[in-house]
Amino acid sequence: MLCQPSFAQAHILHQLSLLKGNNYPSRPWHITSDIPVGLLFCFTFTLERGNQLYYGEYNNQTRNKLRKINQPPTVGKSVIGTCNGLICFSENYCFDILEPSYICNPITGEYVNIPRVIKRDNIVDYSELIVCGFGYHLSTNKYKIVKIHYTETTHLGRVEVYTIGSGSGWRETGTTSYSLRPGMGAFEDSFRLKILGGCLCFVHEKLRERIDIWFLRKTEENCSYDVNEQDDYHLLSWFKEFSIPVEREAEPCALTNSGEVLMRYKGCLFCYNPQTAALEKLMDNDFRYLFSHVNSFVSLKALGEKGSKFRKRYDVNPAPKEIFIGKQQWKDDGQIDA
């Protein structure tokens, strides 16, 4: 039953309807939802080799539990992104070269290896950079991985797309003149694109001052982020939703259904409340990265991806089974109120 495409599609539509309240962060028309936000953490522990994934649901309660995901620690991999319960990993050849290589659903244990263009014995020149993304198109029920190759010899990026279940492998779709290279801009500012609350965002970090988060959404009259047809794009504009006073190295990762921003700041998890302008520390544990995530029964086999397999239960792991997060007040003098 879980492998039927109709079941997976119906489940996703149900999940999206539950999370509808998360589409309006911090705006006056925002409707607070009782549905907690799902989070995917990556931790590194000294007693094991690799990185361990944890999943938990966060709300405004004092303590929230993260549980270890049933899979072996990932070695030499990073999470590109998560979408409707599927997690896409990359193979890390160096800091700037990330090759998509692996997709899994930790709830069902299903996984599939993605064909790679780069071979370990033929790594491209280190001046080349690859940026990646993983997403879902609701109207076509298609999951796609996009990667863009940049080199120092040209300002154009070569775009390749892998559609899950298409059987056509990687397709070159042309070039782009837009640069998504991570790094510093003028006046020591940095910028990057993110997905927060299911929406495309532009994050502008003004070092030693603040970060501004701009959301791409429809105009005030339409009051919606939903864009399902090509004709809707002319209705979109960028709106600045958050301006957070932080000094440096702040990485917004997720939005809560009450309009708060969860971020990795000073190596730990913090929460910013735009209504009170309060910055609260939630967890002392250092982690590598954090994504919004929702558990689902989406099947790679049902999507048409050949070669998908199911992972047996993995128990040999010294990492703790549970980690707790909860609100603590971060004072201006650096002290924490428990």
Side-chain angles (χ1 to χ4, degrees):
M1 177 180 178
L2 298 183
C3 292
Q4 294 298 319
S6 58
F7 177 85
Q9 179 71 353
H11 181 75
I12 285 302
L13 292 175
H14 176 66
Q15 294 286 79
L16 293 176
S17 67
L18 290 177
L19 296 173
K20 193 66 174 180
N22 203 30
N23 286 341
Y24 310 105
S26 80
R27 301 303 298 177
W29 56 80
H30 172 71
I31 301 175
T32 301
S33 171
D34 292 332
I35 304 299
V37 58
L39 300 174
L40 181 74
F41 285 82
C42 176
F43 292 96
T44 300
F45 298 99
T46 56
L47 296 179
E48 65 180 5
R49 180 170 177 261
N51 305 306
Q52 180 63 53
L53 296 179
Y54 285 76
Y55 172 78
E57 295 180 345
Y58 174 78
N59 52 30
N60 291 324
Q61 301 298 320
T62 304
R63 284 166 63 86
N64 297 265
K65 184 183 299 184
L66 305 177
R67 293 185 179 276
K68 184 171 60 178
I69 287 180
N70 175 39
Q71 76 165 29
T74 58
V75 179
K77 289 182 172 61
S78 293
V79 173
I80 294 175
T82 75
C83 188
N84 297 342
L86 299 179
I87 305 175
C88 183
F89 293 87
S90 69
E91 197 79 15
N92 298 353
Y93 293 99
C94 68
F95 179 75
D96 291 331
I97 300 180
L98 308 178
E99 176 78 353
S101 62
Y102 175 78
I103 295 179
C104 74
N105 185 331
I107 293 299
T108 64
E110 191 180 17
Y111 70 96
V112 67
N113 292 315
I114 302 299
R116 301 200 301 270
V117 176
I118 300 175
K119 306 297 183 183
R120 285 195 175 275
D121 57 351
N122 187 28
I123 297 179
V124 295
D125 189 271
Y126 282 100
S127 64
E128 185 167 1
L129 174 139
I130 299 177
V131 295
C132 310
F134 176 53
Y136 171 71
H137 200 296
L138 179 62
S139 63
T140 61
N141 190 32
K142 298 294 184 183
Y143 293 81
K144 297 177 183 289
I145 309 171
V146 178
K147 62 180 177 180
I148 307 177
H149 301 253
Y150 294 101
T151 63
E152 291 183 350
T153 59
T154 177
H155 296 293
L156 296 177
R158 192 176 80 252
V159 182
E160 293 184 89
V161 177
Y162 184 95
T163 301
I164 305 302
S166 68
S168 58
W170 287 100
R171 297 181 297 106
E172 288 204 25
T173 60
T175 59
T176 177
S177 59
Y178 294 98
S179 175
L180 296 178
R181 301 168 183 260
M184 309 306 294
F187 308 108
E188 294 187 326
D189 293 355
S190 69
F191 55 89
R192 52 195 177 276
L193 291 176
K194 296 279 294 185
I195 298 295
L196 295 174
C199 309
L200 181 63
C201 301
F202 178 84
V203 179
H204 181 200
E205 181 178 358
K206 298 183 177 180
L207 293 186
R208 295 179 294 276
E209 185 178 348
R210 69 178 188 270
I211 59 171
D212 295 331
I213 307 178
W214 298 73
F215 283 72
L216 183 64
R217 61 173 176 80
K218 293 183 182 179
T219 58
E220 297 273 353
E221 294 78 12
N222 293 280
C223 296
S224 174
Y225 293 118
D226 297 334
V227 182
N228 294 321
E229 302 296 336
Q230 186 70 28
D231 294 340
D232 286 341
Y233 286 104
H234 72 281
L235 302 175
L236 296 174
S237 298
W238 289 100
F239 291 85
K240 185 166 71 173
E241 301 280 4
F242 299 99
S243 185
I244 306 175
V246 289
E247 295 179 356
R248 59 185 176 84
E249 298 178 358
E251 178 70 20
C253 303
L255 299 180
T256 70
N257 287 296
S258 56
E260 298 171 319
V261 182
L262 300 181
M263 67 177 70
R264 186 177 189 271
Y265 181 47
K266 297 183 177 180
C268 301
L269 180 63
F270 279 77
C271 175
Y272 175 74
N273 187 328
Q275 303 301 321
T276 62
L279 188 64
E280 299 172 297
K281 191 173 187 180
L282 302 182
M283 185 173 59
D284 288 320
N285 304 67
D286 192 7
F287 59 92
R288 291 196 60 195
Y289 43 75
L290 166 68
F291 290 90
S292 293
H293 184 73
V294 57
N295 286 335
S296 78
F297 296 102
V298 172
S299 168
L300 293 165
K301 182 178 180 180
L303 293 172
E305 191 66 24
K306 297 181 179 179
S308 63
K309 301 176 182 179
F310 287 90
R311 186 180 303 283
K312 296 180 180 179
R313 184 150 192 87
Y314 185 86
D315 293 322
V316 184
N317 195 325
K321 293 183 178 180
E322 297 177 348
I323 295 176
F324 289 90
I325 59 177
K327 286 195 173 183
Q328 306 171 59
Q329 185 65 40
W330 182 266
K331 295 182 178 179
D332 293 338
D333 60 4
Q335 300 298 316
I336 298 175
D337 288 341

